[in-house]
DNA sequence: CGTTAACTTGATAGCATTCAACTAGCGTGG
DNA sequence: CCACGCTAGTTGAATGCTATCAAGTTAACG
């Protein structure tokens, strides 16, 4: 069934474990208090590391996989395609996110997964996930809560696409990515990397690239944000929050709420 | 902590248990094979029954609750509001759906919950859910998978709102509700109840009531659907599927995929 | 320094919204 | 029993936000 994990130099294996601890354990701990034994179980999982080039697919819609991906480095996104070729980006992902957890219980993937930048992922075999979940309630809670928070983010995006205009949509997306970047430890709320092209931002916000461009110009002109390459600097947090109607409750960043 | 369940006549309690078995157990069993012991645990949960009038709120955004609701009879929906009063409906719910599962691990609700018709729900206390999940892996899988499928539906709705035009959006929604009604055992794929006003359909599809009206007229004119009151009859399933670009994979109705 | 992708700009077109009436259905009460 | 009043549904005209089309500009990179 599961192909054996590739052979790693001891030093590589050690580096991978450290990265898992720093990125993955950190994220899981925000969901549920983990006992030391549970943390050890997570770190001892037989992960398969994999590097993917920027813009390359990680998993295609309709495919099955035998493991879920933990994003260790880089940015990734999930998407769906329409028959006419148009694309909807469903979510952006930062280090620590478990991206393909659906596949653990759902079989055929109903969406695609791709790298935004060069990406380093670790694949957790489904059987290892299910075994860990069955044996440890803290791990079960953490995975379940990861799914619940993800669903909450989808709900907020539904509101964004369904009821906010272009200006608010882009502002809201920037607010979310700012807060999540800081929470993931890969940036600050007022200065972070968002390595998405305007086309990709368009596919995330249900707009066209041209209109994303004009909208960003307005946001810059209004003194709310500045961009330099893929770096976003938020010049007026309060103004951006107002513009986007942003309320971070739905991110459920505190284990309690 | 948890207020005691209201006193029930034995016959009422018995009726409630039967309904739970028919509706809730049925749904949970589609997610994971449950042992007899697990089924018993689910049915023995200390549920609080509650009846809500049509259009009445069940749970408001920002509220906390001490239990999740299983929908036993009637239709419900979840929604978010914007400061300007506009509303986005996030999902429609049919009997068997566990509607407020988020609250079990997330604390403050990030969205509202309301009845579409007169509704009969059973509230499962969070501590009972968490205890059952911790003790029984089949139950844990079933709840987790319910959340995963729900997230998959949100993703499809994102595609709907972000990348489909009005005609396809409405067609897609009707396809989804047809398939789900049949799966829930409350209708057939070609004839089912959708007790939503055109305003509510508009809030679900990110449109205005006026445009929903015109779009439904086109769908009727094209011979795809007929409506009589809140009953939807699908006159040309194939045509509606094409119009909406509907592919039921994302509903994950088969435990395997 | 040529080539390509990303970004920017302007003009035009169109889908959906907004505004404003009007009709139909239905429960309630005089 | 029918008028009343409310809600849902329908229709028409005008506006507007966003898409589309088409070029031009900048930036990244080998």
């Amino acid at each position: 069934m599961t192909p054996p994990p590739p052979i790693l130099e001891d030093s590589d294996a050690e580096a991978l474990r450290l990265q898992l601890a720093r990125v993955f354990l950190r994220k899981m701990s925000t969901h549920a208090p983990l006992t030391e034994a549970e943390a050890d179980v997570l770190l001892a999982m037989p992960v398969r590391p994999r590097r993917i080039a920027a813009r390359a697919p990680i998993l295609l819609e309709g495919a099955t996989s035998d493991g879920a991906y933990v994003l260790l480095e880089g940015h990734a996104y999930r998407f769906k395609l329409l028959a006419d070729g148009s694309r909807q980006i469903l979510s952006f992902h930062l280090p620590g996110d478990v991206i393909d957890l659906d596949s653990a219980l759902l079989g055929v993937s109903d969406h695609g997964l791709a790298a935004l930048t060069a990406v380093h992922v670790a694949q957790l075999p489904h059987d290892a996930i299910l075994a860990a979940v069955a044996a440890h309630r803290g791990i079960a809670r953490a995975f379940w809560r990861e799914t619940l928070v993800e669903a909450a983010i989808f709900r907020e995006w539904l509101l964004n696409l369904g009821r906010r205009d272009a200006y608010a949509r882009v502002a809201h997306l920037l607010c979310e990515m700012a807060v999540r970047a800081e929470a993931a430890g890969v940036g600050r709320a007022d200065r972070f990397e968002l390595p998405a092209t305007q086309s990709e931002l368009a596919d995330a916000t249900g707009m066209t690239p041209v209109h994303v461009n004009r909208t960003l110009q307005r946001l810059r002109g209004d003194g709310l944000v500045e961009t330099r390459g893929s770096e976003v600097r938020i010049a007026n947090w309060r103004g951006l929050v107002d513009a986007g109607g942003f309320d971070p409750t739905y991110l459920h960043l505190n284990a309690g709420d």
Side-chain angles (χ1 to χ4, degrees), chain A residues 17 48 64 81 110 135 199 230:
Chain A
R17 188 120 339 120
R48 280 192 294 277
T64 57
L81 296 175
D110 55 53
S199 273
S230 64

Side-chain angles (χ1 to χ4, degrees), chain A residues 59-62 76-82 86-94 97-102 106 108-116 147 149-161 172-173 176-177 180 194 196 199-207 250-251:
Chain A
L59 189 70
L60 295 177
E61 182 171 347
Y77 66 96
R78 301 208 268 174
F79 66 96
K80 281 190 176 234
L81 296 175
L82 235 40
S86 57
R87 174 179 66 170
Q88 177 64 42
I89 289 181
L90 307 166
S91 56
F92 289 118
H93 291 285
L94 304 176
D97 291 351
V98 188
I99 308 186
D100 194 28
L101 212 35
D102 325 271
L106 294 185
V108 190
S109 178
D110 55 53
H111 61 277
L113 175 56
L116 213 46
T147 302
V149 171
E150 186 168 83
I153 296 176
F154 289 142
R155 284 193 293 269
E156 185 69 23
W157 279 43
L158 280 176
L159 178 61
N160 218 25
L161 292 185
H172 190 280
L173 177 61
E176 174 180 314
M177 295 314 294
R180 286 176 55 200
L194 184 58
S199 273
E200 286 155 347
L201 295 177
D203 286 343
T205 52
M207 300 165 58
Y250 73 95
L251 291 172

Side-chain angles (χ1 to χ4, degrees), chain A residues 166-216:
Chain A
Y167 192 74
R169 270 186 228 181
V170 175
H172 190 280
L173 177 61
L174 293 177
C175 288
E176 174 180 314
M177 295 314 294
V179 170
R180 286 176 55 200
E182 179 156 299
V186 294
R188 293 165 20 189
D190 65 341
R191 194 186 208 93
F192 62 98
E193 289 291 318
L194 184 58
T197 65
Q198 293 182 356
S199 273
E200 286 155 347
L201 295 177
D203 286 343
T205 52
M207 300 165 58
T208 57
V210 171
H211 203 230
V212 165
N213 183 290
R214 295 194 229 265
T215 303
L216 281 173

Side-chain angles (χ1 to χ4, degrees), chain A residues 20-52:
Chain A
L20 268 178
R22 189 165 43 75
V23 175
F24 177 48
L25 212 53
R26 171 200 174 116
K27 181 69 178 285
M28 294 297 268
S29 301
T30 67
H31 290 312
L34 298 175
T35 64
E36 209 165 317
E38 289 172 336
D40 289 345
V41 166
L42 286 179
L43 293 181
M45 286 177 105
V47 301
R48 280 192 294 277
R50 200 177 142 198
R51 290 186 183 275
I52 292 118

